Amino acid sequence: MLTWVFKPFIELSLEELYAIMRLRQEVFIVEQNCPYLDADGKDLKSYHLMCYAGKDLVAYSRIVKPGVSYDEVSIGRVVSSTQHRGLAYGRELMAESIIQIEKLYGKVPIRIGAQQYLQKFYESFGFVREGESYLEDGIPHIIMLRTAAVVNK
């Protein structure tokens, strides 16, 4: 059984923050062999969605307030644990991220900067690619938008 925890940065416990940073480093820095500054200052201005299986943090996303990364609200640092892949936690994480955004902001457009290889995954949630790909920390990325028109279908 999965347990969802959603809270702003200021309410994170030290244990939750440690688990988040560990999971993000495990995947984005070690697994993807991409040294970058993960602590980018946006965590302080964001909400954090954690998915636990028992005591293990198995998936996580960061909901970034409008005006921080983009004019629109955004979802970032979408990650699932390597030990728990293939169990559709990533799909559940995105669905729950959208639910939490709608609770906070209503049915609004959502913009993301996605790793390009995940384009089809994000399209399945109504995101549409905008523009050309770009390199971020050596990894091809694309901008995608889930519009209010898609949201209200």
Side-chain angles (χ1 to χ4, degrees), residues 2-129:
L2 298 178
T3 304
W4 296 96
V5 178
F6 184 68
K7 54 176 77 172
F9 181 83
I10 193 73
E11 293 179 13
L12 293 174
S13 71
L14 291 176
E15 290 80 13
E16 289 168 331
L17 180 59
Y18 182 84
I20 290 167
M21 299 309 284
R22 178 179 169 84
L23 179 58
R24 287 176 10 183
Q25 289 174 26
E26 173 189 306
V27 174
F28 298 131
I29 296 171
V30 177
E31 178 187 345
Q32 295 182 353
N33 192 26
C34 183
Y36 75 105
L37 184 60
D38 182 44
D40 59 4
K42 295 178 184 178
D43 289 315
L44 303 167
K45 303 168 189 166
S46 299
Y47 289 87
H48 302 269
L49 178 60
M50 298 159 277
C51 176
Y52 289 91
K55 293 183 180 182
D56 296 328
L57 180 63
V58 297
Y60 164 86
S61 70
R62 174 170 82 176
I63 308 303
V64 185
K65 296 177 183 180
V68 176
S69 292
Y70 306 105
D71 290 339
E72 303 86 359
V73 66
S74 65
I75 304 170
R77 299 292 199 262
V78 177
V79 63
S80 59
S81 168
T82 56
Q83 295 88 0
H84 297 89
R85 297 238 175 101
L87 300 172
Y89 292 163
R91 182 157 292 287
E92 291 186 51
L93 176 67
M94 279 304 296
E96 186 67 23
S97 296
I98 293 167
I99 288 168
Q100 293 300 331
I101 286 171
E102 290 178 353
K103 286 180 182 177
L104 285 172
Y105 302 105
K107 293 184 182 291
V108 297
I110 304 167
R111 186 174 300 275
I112 61 174
Q115 292 185 5
Q116 187 171 343
Y117 83 95
L118 292 168
Q119 180 174 339
K120 295 274 188 226
F121 172 75
Y122 290 116
E123 285 174 344
S124 72
F125 291 95
F127 287 89
V128 176
R129 179 179 178 156

Side-chain angles (χ1 to χ4, degrees), residues 136-152:
E136 184 175 313
D137 301 313
I139 298 173
H141 280 69
I142 53 175
I143 298 294
M144 301 187 82
L145 181 67
R146 185 175 192 260
T147 65
V150 171
V151 172
N152 293 320

